[in-house]
Amino acid sequence: MQAETRTTIDRISGTNGAAISVLRFSGDISSTSKDSVLGAWQTVTGDGPVLLDFSKVDYINSSGIALVIQLLMEADKTGRKIAAFGLTPHFQKVFTMVGIGKYAGLHKDEATAAASL
Amino acid sequence: MQAETRTTIDRISGTNGAAISVLRFSGDISSTSKDSVLGAWQTVTGDGPVLLDFSKVDYINSSGIALVIQLLMEADKTGRKIAAFGLTPHFQKVFTMVGIGKYAGLHKDEATAAASL
Amino acid sequence: MVKTTGASVEVRLPSRLGFEKVAMGTAASVAQLMGFPPDRIEDLKTAVAEACINAIEHGNQLNEKLSVGVILSASDHELEVKVVDNGAGISKQPAKPDIDRKMHGEEDPRGMGMFLIQSLVDEAEWVHDSKGTNSYVRLVIRLDKENE
Amino acid sequence: MVKTTGASVEVRLPSRLGFEKVAMGTAASVAQLMGFPPDRIEDLKTAVAEACINAIEHGNQLNEKLSVGVILSASDHELEVKVVDNGAGISKQPAKPDIDRKMHGEEDPRGMGMFLIQSLVDEAEWVHDSKGTNSYVRLVIRLDKENE
Ligand SMILES: Nc1ncnc2c1ncn2[C@@H]1O[C@H](COP(=O)(O)OP(=O)(O)O)[C@@H](O)[C@H]1O
Ligand SMILES: Nc1ncnc2c1ncn2[C@@H]1O[C@H](COP(=O)(O)OP(=O)(O)O)[C@@H](O)[C@H]1O
């Protein structure tokens, strides 16, 4: 309902048994989400792969997409693999339009995304 | 999406094997729905019990509720038993507020509604 | 969370039945920004729809040259909605609908809009203009209150 | 079905970020009345949101005394949306965002709003006022056309 972004961080096991961190976003991703998006990234430990879960996100605007790009830049700098899942078909299209698909796989669900890493 | 009312009429078997007519509404029920609501009633044959299925209805306003009351009047005149199901909690509340619950059972789903007749 | 206090949103609709749904969509979006729970948003939507239908039908008498104004004002704890038309308004409240009388044909099956508005929101007030050119219904829905 | 042709709906929003969601709700309701399919309504919502964010941020510079106007006009085959602010508008289109340059820190990670608007609707036009007090973006989305 409300416009806050909430982020929780999970650790799951990939198909090969290696740990994967999952950043689960919910609410809106907009200009006020900097702390929730980039702040959460700071708390991800290790150097393993990371999944971004958008399945509980209602609204993403271009400022929010810019935060996702900054997060991809951080991942790129530290050589971490990253993939996203749970985008609605509309936001999957929008992410593809701006080119994000080139730097992060965009998957339907968690299992497919985890298997891609 | 669109504001049209569509009505389909099904025949199902009640728990005791007797035939029940089911009027399935979809779309909106408003002042423009007279033909779909009262017209459909005219085509229900026999004198068996009738169920009203609201599970595909998005919007009902007070003019639409007035049509439902007219339908209940028709059922009352001909001594037919009638029950409704598939209203959202909000419209279940609204139907109860205006007193419709006194003349037609308001049920959660088709099975419960059919068993009530 | 979006700060909504003090904010006011205005919509103008044509006097055509069906366009009450646009007011419902706008009102729901404002209420969502304010953090109203889903069931209260449903109450608000129905009340706003009925107020707009009355403004279109009775106030502006379906004259498409006239528009219906919907003014949504958010404060800390409540949302106020004024639905304005160009008619003379009403001077007295109709009787509460009586389902038994309706079922027996002693009362018009219609005539439930104002009753629903009053039942669904926390405050409802009909204000009529003596000149007969600017009447409104004013609804208030409170954030802290569950509808009973 | 509701006749929407020739109808026009107007919304006024405060210049506060977050209120673009109210314009999204209103635009979605109008498009729904017109019979647009769900995926086109999503396109429209994002385009309207980005246009409102730009009007709030760049046009009205977050000055809450100014409001953003959104005028939705339905014709037989299309919906036109004008998003009006009190700024000087833009005189030239920004370059298409380049993800590689963004990823390498050679371009601001932001700057995607106008690109998204243009990509999502069938027509987009930015009109700026020489006096610098009334600029708008005009979007058109067509009923018969699928977005490719
Ligand atoms: N905005 C309005 N302007 C003028 N008269 C109104 C207005 N709203 C309601 N009324 C009057 O009050 C009566 C009751 O309204 P309502 O309870 O909504 O039922 P209905 O619209 O079905 O008649 C209307 O029939 C009309 O005479
Ligand atoms: N309504 C407007 N009024 C004035 N300038 C605008 C307006 N919309 C866009 N601009 C200008 O165009 C630039 C690009 O806009 P946009 O692509 O939406 O990206 P962003 O808003 O993230 O910068 C803005 O930075 C601003 O300078």
Side-chain angles (χ1 to χ4, degrees):
Chain A
M1 279 312 95
Q2 303 173 359
E4 269 157 49
T5 322
R6 283 167 302 282
T7 311
T8 58
I9 303 175
D10 277 355
R11 300 274 281 184
I12 62 165
S13 291
T15 36
N16 59 3
I20 301 176
S21 301
V22 190
L23 266 62
R24 302 194 195 277
F25 304 115
S26 62
D28 294 351
I29 303 192
S30 67
S31 56
T32 57
S33 313
K34 196 167 173 182
D35 289 348
S36 319
V37 174
L38 298 182
W41 179 262
Q42 303 304 327
T43 68
V44 175
T45 53
D47 59 1
V50 177
L51 289 182
L52 308 178
D53 176 1
F54 290 98
S55 58
K56 297 257 160 55
V57 173
D58 307 313
Y59 168 62
I60 314 178
N61 63 28
S62 65
S63 304
I65 298 174
L67 291 173
V68 173
I69 292 176
Q70 285 176 267
L71 196 151
L72 296 185
M73 288 168 74
E74 293 298 321
D76 206 42
K77 269 188 217 154
T78 51
R80 276 172 187 269
K81 279 197 188 164
I82 198 159
F85 68 93
L87 288 161
T88 62
H90 174 69
F91 282 112
Q92 177 113 9
K93 179 172 79 177
V94 166
F95 273 44
T96 305
M97 273 176 179
V98 299
I100 288 185
K102 196 169 163 184
Y103 291 91
L106 306 177
H107 301 275
K108 229 177 93 81
D109 53 36
E110 185 163 334
T112 327
S116 78
L117 291 174
Chain B
M1 278 314 95
Q2 302 173 0
E4 269 158 49
T5 322
R6 284 167 301 282
T7 311
T8 59
I9 302 175
D10 276 356
R11 299 274 282 184
I12 62 166
S13 292
T15 38
N16 60 2
I20 301 176
S21 302
V22 190
L23 266 63
R24 303 193 194 277
F25 305 115
S26 62
D28 295 350
I29 304 192
S30 67
S31 56
T32 56
S33 313
K34 196 167 174 182
D35 289 348
S36 319
V37 174
L38 299 181
W41 179 262
Q42 304 303 328
T43 68
V44 175
T45 53
D47 60 0
V50 177
L51 289 183
L52 309 178
D53 176 0
F54 290 98
S55 58
K56 296 256 161 56
V57 173
D58 306 314
Y59 168 62
I60 315 177
N61 63 28
S62 64
S63 305
I65 298 174
L67 291 173
V68 173
I69 292 176
Q70 286 176 264
L71 197 151
L72 296 185
M73 287 170 74
E74 293 298 321
D76 206 42
K77 269 189 218 150
T78 51
R80 276 173 188 268
K81 278 197 189 169
I82 198 158
F85 68 93
L87 288 162
T88 63
H90 174 69
F91 282 112
Q92 177 114 8
K93 179 171 80 178
V94 166
F95 272 45
T96 305
M97 274 177 179
V98 299
I100 288 185
K102 196 170 165 183
Y103 291 90
L106 306 176
H107 301 276
K108 229 178 93 80
D109 54 36
E110 184 163 335
T112 326
S116 79
L117 292 174
Chain C
M1 204 183 145
V2 178
K3 215 169 97 319
T4 49
T5 303
S8 156
V9 167
E10 220 178 303
V11 204
R12 300 203 73 77
L13 310 170
S15 297
R16 200 184 283 179
L17 285 174
F19 277 85
E20 73 275 10
K21 291 174 90 175
V22 176
M24 292 170 83
T26 310
S29 301
V30 173
Q32 228 156 41
L33 273 190
M34 291 179 73
F36 275 97
D39 61 325
R40 292 299 278 155
I41 295 179
E42 289 304 313
D43 292 344
L44 175 71
K45 281 165 71 182
T46 293
V48 166
E50 295 299 327
C52 289
I53 292 170
N54 281 347
I56 292 169
E57 234 178 18
H58 305 303
N60 291 349
Q61 301 187 11
L62 301 165
N63 177 348
E64 298 208 3
K65 292 203 193 89
L66 303 174
S67 63
V68 171
V70 182
I71 302 156
L72 300 127
S73 311
S75 66
D76 254 4
H77 300 293
E78 58 185 44
L79 172 62
E80 181 201 75
V81 187
K82 280 187 188 170
V83 178
V84 188
D85 63 49
N86 297 287
I90 44 158
S91 43
K92 82 186 222 320
Q93 298 273 115
K96 187 174 176 303
D98 180 328
I99 189 72
D100 295 324
R101 288 176 44 84
K102 285 190 196 301
M103 286 294 292
H104 298 116
E106 295 155 18
E107 181 180 300
D108 193 320
R110 288 197 49 172
M112 292 172 291
M114 290 175 64
F115 167 72
L116 283 179
I117 293 171
Q118 249 166 341
S119 310
L120 292 169
V121 299
D122 298 312
E123 279 177 45
E125 177 192 15
W126 280 263
V127 179
H128 69 283
D129 171 30
S130 54
K131 279 178 278 158
T133 53
N134 203 280
S135 299
Y136 62 87
V137 49
R138 180 182 157 272
L139 318 176
V140 174
I141 179 161
R142 296 200 194 98
L143 252 177
D144 52 358
K145 194 172 158 294
E146 289 298 300
N147 194 48
E148 57 270 9
Chain D
M1 205 183 143
V2 178
K3 215 169 95 327
T4 49
T5 303
S8 157
V9 168
E10 218 178 304
V11 204
R12 301 203 72 77
L13 310 170
S15 296
R16 202 186 280 180
L17 286 174
F19 277 85
E20 74 275 10
K21 291 174 88 174
V22 176
M24 292 169 83
T26 311
S29 302
V30 173
Q32 228 156 42
L33 273 190
M34 291 179 72
F36 276 97
D39 63 322
R40 291 300 278 155
I41 295 180
E42 289 303 313
D43 292 345
L44 175 71
K45 281 166 72 181
T46 293
V48 166
E50 294 299 327
C52 288
I53 291 170
N54 281 347
I56 292 169
E57 234 178 18
H58 304 304
N60 291 350
Q61 302 186 9
L62 301 165
N63 178 350
E64 299 209 3
K65 292 202 193 89
L66 303 174
S67 63
V68 170
V70 182
I71 302 155
L72 300 127
S73 311
S75 66
D76 253 4
H77 299 293
E78 58 185 43
L79 173 62
E80 180 200 75
V81 187
K82 280 187 187 170
V83 178
V84 187
D85 63 49
N86 297 286
I90 45 158
S91 43
K92 82 185 221 323
Q93 298 272 115
K96 187 172 175 303
D98 180 329
I99 190 72
D100 296 323
R101 288 175 45 81
K102 285 191 196 298
M103 285 295 291
H104 297 117
E106 295 155 20
E107 181 179 301
D108 192 321
R110 290 196 48 172
M112 293 173 290
M114 291 174 63
F115 167 73
L116 284 179
I117 293 171
Q118 249 165 341
S119 309
L120 292 169
V121 299
D122 298 313
E123 279 178 46
E125 176 193 17
W126 280 263
V127 179
H128 70 282
D129 171 31
S130 54
K131 280 177 277 157
T133 52
N134 203 279
S135 299
Y136 62 85
V137 50
R138 179 182 157 273
L139 317 176
V140 174
I141 178 162
R142 296 199 195 99
L143 252 177
D144 52 359
K145 193 173 158 293
E146 289 297 299
N147 194 48
E148 57 272 9

